[in-house]
Amino acid sequence: NAGVTQTPKFQVLKTGQSMTLQCAQDMNHEYMSWYRQDPGMGLRLIHYSVGAGITDQGEVPNGYNVSRSTTEDFPLRLLSAAPSQTSVYFCASGKDRQPQHFGDGTRLSIL
Amino acid sequence: KNEVEQSPQNLTAQEGEFITINCSYSVGISALHWLQQHPGGGIVSLFMLSSGKKKHGRLIATINIQEKHSSLHITASHPRDSAVYICAVWASGSRLTFGEGTQLTVNP
């Protein structure tokens, strides 16, 4: 009964470091997506996937990579962290290409 | 102008009051979502609707496609309803466009 699990919950990075935010769901949802949430801007879509092996860019994809090798997992990679990527990140999954279940979020700070 | 506008931005109510949060959008859509984000940060999907009205407990969501408008109503509000309520629309492709949210505070 895990739903959508995001790890880590908190992370502090230095500029230029790389890291991967993990997202896993156990509901066999085809659709998964990553969002960032910034004050005054609402949630914005970074990347999404409509099934294993299929990914596409959202509204703000620059600086982020994703892959979808399994239905369950959809990791988000920051290749070279920048202070502008300081944000709260949410992963979501759902049916019919709609995000219906959200993870608890990852608070990421880039120094 | 944002594609999704919510009003009010902030709302304070007394326990028991009937609450309405509004969402207007400027594009044709196939679905509209209402989400709830609690102070701890987690996001919960409340409703997804494309026409008419849906009800779940004390929450009611309505949508008027012709007027490009949706409302979220909370009956008999309670302090535990205090949260940010977010409207999001599904216009095309596979992406949602989100409003900035309405901060609701319900005082005992």
Side-chain angles (χ1 to χ4, degrees):
Chain A
N1 195 29
V4 177
T5 302
Q6 280 185 243
T7 57
K9 293 193 186 307
F10 303 94
Q11 184 71 47
V12 179
L13 293 177
K14 294 181 180 178
T15 297
Q17 286 186 312
S18 63
M19 82 159 294
T20 299
L21 307 186
Q22 301 290 347
C23 178
Q25 53 95 5
D26 60 358
M27 296 169 283
N28 201 33
H29 288 157
E30 293 296 322
Y31 182 83
M32 296 185 75
S33 50
W34 276 102
Y35 304 86
R36 59 179 290 173
Q37 185 176 39
D38 302 294
M41 302 195 72
L43 286 150
R44 292 180 293 168
L45 179 66
I46 304 172
H47 284 285
Y48 66 95
S49 169
V50 297
I54 305 168
T55 64
D56 207 346
Q57 295 181 348
E59 184 182 353
V60 287
N62 293 340
Y64 307 94
N65 277 357
V66 291
S67 60
R68 185 93 180 271
S69 56
T70 66
T71 298
E72 294 78 19
D73 299 297
F74 190 45
L76 178 72
R77 297 183 186 85
L78 283 70
L79 302 176
S80 178
S84 61
Q85 294 177 304
T86 293
S87 188
V88 182
Y89 291 85
F90 289 94
C91 177
S93 75
K95 299 182 293 186
D96 302 325
R97 302 190 174 203
Q98 304 281 337
Q100 294 154 319
H101 299 268
F102 287 79
D104 290 336
T106 296
R107 293 185 178 275
L108 182 61
S109 293
I110 315 293
L111 305 178
Chain B
K1 183 171 165 55
N2 293 335
E3 286 186 351
V4 182
E5 298 272 356
Q6 287 186 235
S7 63
Q9 286 187 314
N10 295 282
L11 179 58
T12 301
Q14 289 301 121
E15 184 173 356
E17 287 185 357
F18 180 84
I19 289 164
T20 295
I21 299 170
N22 296 300
C23 175
S24 297
Y25 51 91
S26 57
V27 296
I29 68 168
S30 55
L32 183 143
H33 293 246
W34 281 103
L35 309 171
Q36 180 192 57
Q37 186 170 27
H38 273 284
I43 298 173
V44 175
S45 176
L46 298 175
F47 296 102
M48 183 177 74
L49 64 167
S50 55
S51 65
K53 175 177 162 178
K54 286 191 176 181
K55 184 175 188 291
H56 182 71
R58 294 179 295 105
L59 301 177
I60 304 166
T62 64
I63 187 168
N64 185 317
I65 296 292
Q66 287 74 28
E67 294 186 3
K68 294 186 170 60
H69 181 268
S70 175
S71 293
L72 177 68
H73 305 287
I74 305 175
T75 62
S77 60
H78 190 276
R80 64 175 175 266
D81 297 326
S82 297
V84 175
Y85 292 83
I86 301 168
C87 171
V89 300
W90 188 269
S92 63
S94 298
R95 60 178 69 180
L96 285 180
T97 301
F98 296 83
E100 290 188 24
T102 294
Q103 174 69 62
L104 171 65
T105 302
V106 182
N107 294 318

